[in-house]
Each structure stands twice: as C-alpha cells, then as structure tokens.
Amino acid sequence: MTHAPAIGTALLRIVLGVVMLAHGIQKLTVFTVAGVQDMLAGLGLPLPEVLGIALPVAEVAAGALLILGLLTRVAGAITVVVGLGALFTTHLDAGFFASDGGYEFVLLIAAAGAAFVFLGGGRFALDSVVPIGGRSGRKG
C-alpha cells in the first residue's frame, strides 16, 4: 500500500473536480448566465453582471484543473472562494444540513479545496510532471 496516500489524494481531487465542473456547467447551461446574474443580484451582491459570468467560469476552470491535477493549488484556492462565497451568501442562515438548504455541502467543498491548497495535486497529478513555476508536486 505504498501508493495508498497518492491514490487517496487523486480520488478526492478528481471527485472534487467533477463536482465543481458539474456545478459550473449547470450554471452555464441550465440556470444560464442571465439566471445566475439575477440570483446574485437578488442576494444583493455587487457587480452581479460580472460575478454571474465569473462564477460558472471559475467553477468549470477549477473543476477541470482539479481533474487533471494541473495548477492544483490555484484550483483549490478558487474552490475555497466559491465554497465560502456560497456559504456566507446563501446557505449560512439555513443551518447546517444541506437537506434544509444549509451549508454542510459547501463547507465540505471549501475544506476540500483548502486541503489541495496545502497538499498540491499529489503523485498522480499533472503538477508532478509539468514544471509550471519551476516546481513540481512530486512529494505527495
């Protein structure tokens, strides 16, 4: 089981990436950019026209990067921002449980994103073989 930590890291990274990618695609294709902009405006957020485009693009980009294990720390940071943004703007007042509209799911998303900020992509990530920024993530 010498590869167990690397396999566990890859599994969590890929699943988190799929979740982020799916949510971004859903915002682009089902809710539409206009719908996301309206939702954000309804929450009273500033610049909903900009955020309504930035949010789904950030989710798609973070998701794809996590799946590939490329720029994993950056993708993790984006995921933290998205998760905490959802927690504080939408879910906090509904309590803990997601079944009640609460924050448990987005808190888990943010925490998993933070883990990748600290861990990097691991051994089975493109970060470990693509020297972006002069470093590779071979340690995990």
Side-chain angles (χ1 to χ4, degrees):
M1 296 301 282
T2 60
H3 295 299
I7 293 168
T9 301
L11 177 64
L12 180 59
R13 178 177 47 76
I14 291 166
V15 169
L16 179 61
V18 167
V19 168
M20 291 299 291
L21 183 64
H23 277 263
I25 290 171
Q26 180 187 41
K27 283 179 180 69
L28 290 171
T29 61
V30 176
F31 301 147
T32 73
V33 169
V36 174
Q37 290 169 328
D38 289 345
M39 177 200 64
L40 297 172
L43 292 171
L45 294 177
L47 303 171
E49 301 82 13
V50 175
L51 288 176
I53 296 168
L55 177 59
V57 168
E59 288 177 333
V60 167
L65 290 170
L66 285 166
I67 291 166
L68 296 171
L70 186 63
L71 298 172
T72 304
R73 293 177 195 275
V74 172
I78 293 167
T79 301
V80 170
V81 170
V82 169
L84 291 178
L87 189 153
F88 288 112
T89 62
T90 308
H91 298 281
L92 189 60
D93 291 341
F96 181 75
F97 295 103
S99 61
D100 299 325
Y103 59 85
E104 72 176 315
F105 179 68
V106 295
L107 178 62
L108 184 58
I109 294 289
F116 287 108
V117 170
F118 293 107
L119 293 171
R123 182 179 301 152
F124 302 121
L126 285 178
D127 286 336
S128 70
V129 294
V130 178
I132 295 177
R135 294 174 28 167
S136 68
R138 293 183 191 271
K139 291 184 181 179

